[in-house]
Amino acid sequence: MNNLRAGFLSQYFDGVVIKRLSAVEADRSKSNQHEFNGTVPLQELFGYQRLSDYPARFMWLGGENENVTEDSIVTWYDARENHPTRTEYRLYFKNNPVMEIASANDLLIVARRPNGELYFLVAPSESTMESQLRWLFDAQEQVGFKFEHKTISGNHDVEIDYVVRLILEELGIEVQDSEVGFLDSHLEPYIDKGVFPTTKEFSQLTRKIVRDVSAVGDPDSALLAWMELEERLFKRLERHIIAVRLEKGFYEGSEVDVDGFIQFSLSVQNRRKSRVGYALENHLEEVFLANKVRYSRTAVTEHKSKPDFLFPGINEYRDTAFPSNRLTMLGVKSTCKDRWRQVLAEAARINEKHLLTLEPGISENQTNEMQSSSLQLVLPQRLHTTYKPSQQSWLMNVREFVDLVKVRQ
């Protein structure tokens, strides 16, 4: 598995400072302040040289289809640079849509990348995105209204895996794979043809490559290992295919085909979204087969609903004499966002629903609502650490879910 590593977080960030926004910093009705005091943590991040009109990307991470990105500039300066003994550093930013949306208590992370790029990340207080960012940057302790500097090295430098990749891509950061030769060696037939295999074929290829995991002995690790490698294989093949298409250009005669380019771009995004869900279902199906679990996949129940998995199967579900307490339904969503409620309307005979996701750090408000709606969250064990201790005791892992359905069948 050494060849399957995709790098470390320090390849993408040098360091970050983190705080909660105060009312003075966030509420424009109370203050027109556009500066942060240049405290020691900011000095550790920026150094002591003036940075004038420095490019920075502001991002409001409000949730699915609610993110806002604005490229702007900031200035890091010493307001007393002409004073012989005193310093007073400040970080000035221009007004922008992201900071206009921000509210008091929202999480602010100022992150510097190795290439010098600056990210100003704002996540709503107590949101899923806040939980994910705090986990990513090892800020699990109480976050106050003063900047804290977080180094990304040693034990705080997490390895890039499926979970980390998911969060980075939410920030618009594409993970660059260091093992392209290894990946290309397995993708060669598809690169030559310039086509994507079916999702089923891609999933089978992935499982052939990852040989040192066991769907029976450790289904949690196996599922994540398969998903991580398939994601890397897909992104690598996608890069080859897109490069060929871009070389051809987008023209209608002598005119640039803007609509054609937009349609191509949309097809790329749609393929990414749809493929990952099918891949997760494919690998889960392999886990169930390996563990000799009986199931039906996407069978039709009431109101033409199609639960992702029914246990022990659709025949038992339709048999009114079969005890409902031995039936289990599993919805599958690679990321939940607010779509988890869709699962509640499926399989009316089953009161407690199960939902498997790979979404790290879902907010406590959301998981509390899931519990009150009789929805049990299932995640690979690795992801449990991205949740608060108060949530972890309620979460179910893949091994536990497999054992549950085996007992019921």
Side-chain angles (χ1 to χ4, degrees), residues 13 20 125 136 141 146 175 225 275 296 326 386-387:
F13 292 101
R20 293 201 178 278
S125 176
L136 182 68
E141 302 296 327
K146 294 181 179 180
V175 173
R275 182 205 57 82
S296 293
R326 290 179 57 195
T386 68
Y387 287 72

Side-chain angles (χ1 to χ4, degrees), residues 291-295 312 322 326 404-409:
N291 284 277
K292 297 180 172 55
V293 171
R294 291 161 48 207
Y295 66 91
F322 190 85
R326 290 179 57 195
L404 172 70
V405 293
K406 287 185 73 173
V407 167
R408 289 181 175 178
Q409 74 178 20

Side-chain angles (χ1 to χ4, degrees), residues 156-170:
H156 304 294
D157 188 10
V158 297
E159 188 172 352
I160 303 295
D161 60 8
Y162 185 88
V163 185
V164 176
R165 184 189 297 265
L166 193 71
I167 300 173
L168 291 180
E169 290 185 355
E170 189 76 19

Side-chain angles (χ1 to χ4, degrees), residues 200-265:
K200 184 175 182 179
E201 187 179 352
F202 224 150
S203 297
Q204 290 172 339
L205 171 66
T206 299
R207 293 194 294 269
K208 287 180 182 178
I209 299 171
V210 184
R211 296 179 178 178
D212 58 348
V213 296
S214 170
V216 176
D218 189 355
D220 292 83
S221 297
L223 183 62
L224 268 187
W226 292 337
M227 285 299 296
E228 180 186 355
L229 182 59
E230 181 163 346
E231 183 77 0
R232 294 171 62 192
L233 287 167
F234 173 81
K235 290 293 179 63
R236 183 60 184 167
L237 180 58
E238 180 187 61
R239 182 174 289 271
H240 281 291
I241 293 175
I242 290 177
V244 171
R245 182 65 185 89
L246 292 177
E247 284 181 4
K248 294 179 180 178
F250 293 85
Y251 295 97
E252 282 188 350
S254 60
E255 298 292 324
V256 175
D257 183 11
V258 176
D259 289 339
F261 173 78
I262 292 174
Q263 289 300 317
F264 176 73
S265 177

